[in-house]
Amino acid sequence: MPRAIWNQALLAESDDIITVEGELYFPLESVNGRYLRNSSSTSRCPRKGQAFFYDVIVEGAVNRDAAWYYLDPETGYEQLKNRIAFWKGVEFLS
């Protein structure tokens, strides 16, 4: 089962992964929310829409903006709704 791990903590685990443009998107319900803190950062992808970020925090270590999601994805990317992706050193294991 695919897993997202950072700083030896299991951030997410699911067989229901969507890959879009090389990024893995985990279902919201598979993500361990205790490691996430809302970030004030946002960005705009011309194809997918407005992205919102989370900081990933494990045992006091902070990985700023290491997770993101699309609250209201653009047409053609609706499958990203209620999903979270990770980057910035987060490992993906099967």
Side-chain angles (χ1 to χ4, degrees):
M1 181 174 307
R3 297 173 284 159
I5 297 173
W6 186 72
N7 209 20
Q8 300 181 0
L10 180 63
L11 306 178
E13 180 176 40
S14 178
D15 279 330
D16 181 21
I17 302 297
I18 293 176
T19 303
V20 176
E21 298 176 3
E23 303 293 344
L24 303 177
Y25 289 84
F26 288 81
L28 186 59
E29 63 272 6
S30 74
V31 177
N32 191 337
R34 75 182 184 138
Y35 296 122
L36 302 181
R37 176 181 69 195
N38 284 326
S39 168
S40 60
S41 299
T42 64
S43 69
R44 176 121 186 109
C45 173
R47 295 171 311 286
K48 295 180 259 181
Q50 186 77 30
F52 299 88
F53 291 84
Y54 289 109
D55 296 334
V56 174
I57 303 171
V58 176
E59 295 185 17
V62 179
N63 192 346
R64 283 209 27 85
D65 300 334
W68 77 92
Y69 65 98
Y70 297 94
L71 190 60
D72 188 23
E74 295 291 335
T75 302
Y77 291 91
E78 297 89 353
Q79 72 271 27
L80 298 181
K81 189 165 182 75
N82 297 318
R83 292 187 175 270
I84 295 179
F86 299 94
W87 66 331
K88 292 189 172 183
V90 173
E91 295 179 85
F92 302 101
L93 305 173
S94 296

